[in-house]
Amino acid sequence: MATLLHIDSSALSQGSVSRELTATYVREWQAAHPEGTVVRRDLGAEPVPHLTEAGITAAFVPAEHRSPEQQAAFALREELMTELEQADAVVIGAPMYNFSIPSPLKAWLDQVILVGRTGGAPDTTVAGKHVTVLASRGGSYAPGTPRADAEFAARYLETALTGMMNVEVETVAAEFTLARVNPALAGFIEAGDASKAAAHEQAGQTARKVAARLTEPAAV
């Protein structure tokens, strides 16, 4: 029985396209793998603390010699890292905020990436795990567009996740998500609707593919 770690990071509880996409992914994953378990972490509603000095230094101090502050800080890191390690697949909802990812998502990454364990080497404890990034952008940052070079959200996640953790990353993006609410983007409503529909379809396809991979009988 496989486990999916479902992470949302949007600050919006309603009207979030990234949340809608992760909901589609989870629904399709559960339909394809009804025996599976979904563990959800809503970083928008319950953000994890940013990494502190105590959290950093605790990793270099034997457990019995850690200060109370270091013990508490590393207990959180241990919880988050174990949660990630125990997941068979991960889906992350990642809206673009000011050209980058939401700060709670960055805080989560800083907490879970520990060199020598989950990060920093080819044989990390999460190496090869499939991570689906479901991105949403108010405008368009696709290759070939005027703002392509300003896409630091999905590109950052792909670099950090593959370069530090050695996981397999697949990104699905919905563009022009603000076309219906921003008059300056009114001319892109049709393009935005089409991009969102395509992203939902691709999210569902990816979920079914990942679920099938996890439920395939092991080769003998």
Side-chain angles (χ1 to χ4, degrees), residues 177-185 189:
T177 62
L178 293 180
R180 288 190 170 274
V181 297
N182 185 345
L185 297 174
I189 288 178

Side-chain angles (χ1 to χ4, degrees), residues 5-9 40-52 72-73 75-81 83 102-113:
L5 177 58
H6 168 195
I7 297 174
D8 279 316
S9 62
R40 188 179 186 210
R41 187 164 286 275
D42 191 337
L43 300 175
E46 298 181 19
V48 299
H50 288 282
L51 188 60
T52 62
L76 173 63
R77 298 194 72 183
E78 184 65 45
E79 175 188 349
L80 296 172
M81 288 187 291
E83 188 174 75
S103 62
L105 181 53
K106 179 60 166 64
W108 178 82
L109 285 169
D110 289 340
Q111 294 282 7
V112 300
I113 296 176

Side-chain angles (χ1 to χ4, degrees), residues 3-187:
T3 297
L4 173 69
L5 177 58
H6 168 195
I7 297 174
D8 279 316
S9 62
S10 173
L12 301 177
S13 60
Q14 301 293 326
S16 164
V17 173
S18 67
R19 287 182 183 274
E20 293 173 7
L21 290 174
T22 59
T24 292
Y25 185 103
V26 171
R27 183 178 64 249
E28 294 298 321
W29 191 88
Q30 289 180 311
H33 186 31
E35 298 83 11
T37 299
V38 178
V39 175
R40 188 179 186 210
R41 187 164 286 275
D42 191 337
L43 300 175
E46 298 181 19
V48 299
H50 288 282
L51 188 60
T52 62
E53 179 180 9
I56 294 173
T57 57
F60 305 97
V61 177
E64 63 273 18
H65 297 310
R66 290 171 185 160
S67 69
E69 292 78 12
Q70 288 174 323
Q71 291 175 5
F74 199 78
L76 173 63
R77 298 194 72 183
E78 184 65 45
E79 175 188 349
L80 296 172
M81 288 187 291
T82 300
E83 188 174 75
L84 175 61
E85 290 168 334
Q86 292 179 345
D88 297 285
V90 183
V91 60
I92 300 175
M96 177 188 281
Y97 287 175
N98 302 315
F99 305 124
S100 187
I101 61 173
S103 62
L105 181 53
K106 179 60 166 64
W108 178 82
L109 285 169
D110 289 340
Q111 294 282 7
V112 300
I113 296 176
L114 179 61
V115 173
R117 180 172 169 177
T118 56
D123 57 346
T124 70
T125 55
V126 294
K129 200 181 299 290
H130 190 281
V131 179
T132 304
V133 173
L134 300 178
S136 59
R137 306 158 184 163
S140 179
Y141 297 81
T145 61
R147 284 196 161 185
D149 289 343
E151 203 296 295
F152 302 114
R155 189 155 35 125
Y156 164 74
L157 284 173
E158 291 166 358
T159 301
L161 292 167
T162 59
M164 289 299 296
M165 306 177 85
N166 198 23
V167 298
E168 176 188 349
V169 178
E170 188 166 350
T171 300
V172 177
E175 306 230 288
F176 288 123
T177 62
L178 293 180
R180 288 190 170 274
V181 297
N182 185 345
L185 297 174

